[in-house]
Amino acid sequence: MAYLEVENATKVYGGAARALDGVSLSVGRDEFFTLLGPSGCGKTTLLRSIAGFIELSDGNIKLDGRRLDTVPAHKRDIGMVFQDYAVFPHLTVSENVAFGLKARKVPAADIQRRVAEALATARLTDFRDRLPAAMSGGQQQRIGLARAMVIRPKLLLMDEPLSNLDAKLRVDLRDEIRDIQKKIGIAAIYVTHDQEEALAISDRICVMSTGRIQQIGTPQDIYSSPQTLFAASFVGTMNVLQRGTDPALEASILQDAPASLSQWAIRPEHIRLGEGDLPADTIRVPGTVEKYTYLGREAHIAAKTSVGKLVVQVADPEPSLTMEQGHPVTLAFRRGHVMGFDQQGARVSLGAR
Ligand SMILES: Nc1ncnc2c1ncn2[C@@H]1O[C@H](COP(=O)(O)OP(=O)(O)OP(=O)(O)O)[C@@H](O)[C@H]1O
Ligand SMILES: [Mg+2]
């Protein structure tokens, strides 16, 4: 059952284009839900509308069956974690975490116990008497998390909480955030523009672009069955080709695709260099190497073909393998892995393949 319900949320900031344009979604009671999209697509606007810092131009938001628009931000029981940590520099770690409880006039004995619990959950117990300035970015963000959790909010909102951290720490802390969310069983909405982070952390992902929802689904849905060209290209990498470049070859790839299909797409990991035994629905496309990029655990070969440029991903490449520009290659992929899209970028069915 829906716990948080957003209906037709629309936001126009003084005369400009719509930052949110009819967004409707619902989030379950213990769900980890992620808003994913490029800069400016409206993620923060939606999050701050839920928190009560921004008033919607139209639409409404319900939490646990209750409309939020009449409830002021500080009474919404919503915890928020920000990109820039937003910790109080003059307070120790435990004072930071206790702050929201004191403001809510929680009895002192309860404050002590709850702060101790939150510190333990965020693995900050050993740092309780430190000032934030003497802590790393990752540790400071854990203070932000502990402070948001300790008030036992009905909903936890996180706006790009990891984007100021280095790559390795981001991965560690995202796993921790996910574990904590599941352990305390709280509904969470997480904002990121990092597609890998979204795939790793979420129960469901909402892909957004220019104030609108492109698709909502599990990480598997979004990655393997994207419903729009935008979702297909934003999550993971995608070869996108225009129809009409080599009609004869395209006829065998697209078979009886409808006339509305104007672009087709295939993921680099679904293309291989065509040697050996291949399944019956395999298409072979001749091409020449434009660029070879070695990335350690994989390599990318960009090839020029008569249907357009295709990037092939090779897993675990031999370190001795290199490919000169102009080197002839045969690319092989299965028809079943090809996706079709219309002029507007909506998914077009290619029928039974
Ligand atoms: N206070 C404001 N006044 C006018 N326009 C605004 C205001 N805040 C945001 N916008 C505009 O609304 C749109 C959505 O902004 P928003 O901050 O929600 O995007 P975002 O998805 O969070 O982007 P980012 O990933 O860069 O944080 C943008 O076009 C932005 O310029
Ligand atoms: Mg933002």
Side-chain angles (χ1 to χ4, degrees):
M1 203 200 74
Y3 178 61
L4 176 82
E5 263 180 283
V6 176
E7 273 172 28
N8 189 37
T10 299
K11 176 67 185 178
V12 186
Y13 291 105
R18 291 174 177 209
L20 292 176
D21 191 3
V23 168
S24 298
L25 54 84
S26 58
V27 178
R29 194 173 284 275
D30 54 8
E31 191 171 24
F32 202 115
F33 190 89
T34 296
L35 304 175
L36 171 68
S39 183
C41 74
K43 305 179 296 293
T44 295
T45 301
L46 180 55
L47 212 66
R48 294 179 69 86
S49 308
I50 295 168
F53 303 137
I54 288 178
E55 204 177 324
L56 289 175
S57 313
D58 195 12
N60 72 75
I61 302 172
K62 279 191 217 153
L63 182 59
D64 210 5
R66 185 172 173 219
R67 273 188 76 139
L68 284 181
D69 47 1
T70 55
V71 185
H74 68 279
K75 293 211 165 136
R76 288 190 182 189
D77 268 338
I78 289 175
M80 191 136 180
V81 181
F82 303 91
Q83 178 176 346
D84 59 1
Y85 318 141
V87 293
F88 300 117
H90 59 290
L91 299 182
T92 64
V93 172
S94 36
E95 287 164 348
N96 260 285
V97 177
F99 188 87
L101 296 175
K102 282 188 183 148
R104 284 170 172 75
K105 309 246 183 312
V106 173
D110 291 346
I111 291 183
Q112 244 192 358
R113 182 175 45 79
R114 283 169 65 173
V115 167
E117 262 172 36
L119 290 175
T121 306
R123 298 203 289 127
L124 285 171
T125 306
D126 294 346
F127 301 94
R128 55 186 312 143
D129 299 321
R130 280 219 206 162
L131 287 172
M135 297 175 72
S136 72
Q139 290 162 343
Q140 290 193 45
Q141 196 53 298
R142 288 214 197 101
I143 306 175
L145 262 174
R147 213 176 45 180
M149 288 184 313
V150 78
I151 61 163
R152 295 183 188 149
K154 289 181 169 165
L155 182 64
L156 180 60
L157 305 179
M158 293 171 271
D159 195 349
E160 310 227 19
L162 305 181
S163 56
N164 288 346
L165 305 176
D166 68 52
K168 170 83 171 69
L169 197 56
R170 286 179 75 126
V171 172
D172 292 347
L173 202 50
R174 83 182 180 208
D175 290 346
E176 264 183 63
I177 289 176
R178 162 101 192 169
D179 290 348
I180 290 172
Q181 183 267 343
K182 288 297 165 216
K183 189 173 148 210
I184 63 177
I186 190 175
I189 304 185
Y190 187 93
V191 164
T192 182
H193 57 256
D194 180 331
Q195 45 100 13
E196 187 191 300
E197 194 169 288
L199 291 171
I201 208 170
S202 316
D203 291 316
R204 282 189 306 152
I205 298 171
C206 172
V207 180
M208 294 177 68
S209 135
T210 59
R212 294 191 186 176
I213 293 177
Q214 291 277 330
Q215 185 172 354
I216 297 177
T218 63
Q220 289 83 353
D221 282 340
I222 301 279
Y223 191 83
S224 65
S225 314
Q227 292 310 301
T228 67
L229 187 57
F230 181 89
S233 313
F234 193 76
V235 183
T237 48
M238 190 63 100
N239 290 295
V240 180
L241 300 115
Q242 297 298 318
R243 191 182 197 177
T245 313
D246 179 348
L249 184 51
E250 286 161 16
S252 71
I253 297 168
L254 304 170
Q255 288 193 332
D256 27 42
S260 61
L261 185 149
S262 68
Q263 301 161 90
W264 58 282
I266 184 156
R267 294 211 183 270
E269 69 267 30
H270 287 149
I271 310 181
R272 43 186 283 187
L273 296 183
E275 303 103 17
D277 280 346
L278 294 166
D281 67 342
T282 299
I283 304 285
R284 287 181 178 76
V285 176
T288 55
V289 172
E290 255 181 6
K291 194 173 177 194
Y292 177 80
T293 311
Y294 178 75
L295 296 165
R297 66 177 172 179
E298 65 193 46
H300 293 172
I301 301 163
K304 205 161 110 180
T305 79
S306 63
V307 289
K309 182 174 127 175
L310 285 168
V311 174
V312 183
Q313 179 183 317
V314 180
D316 194 19
E318 281 297 324
S320 59
L321 178 72
T322 54
M323 286 201 177
E324 301 293 322
Q325 194 179 2
H327 183 80
V329 281
T330 301
L331 312 183
F333 54 87
R334 302 183 63 173
R335 260 200 303 269
H337 284 138
V338 173
M339 302 177 196
F341 299 91
D342 69 14
Q343 193 71 49
Q344 281 71 46
R347 185 81 180 263
V348 171
S349 169
L350 289 166
R353 323 217 78 215

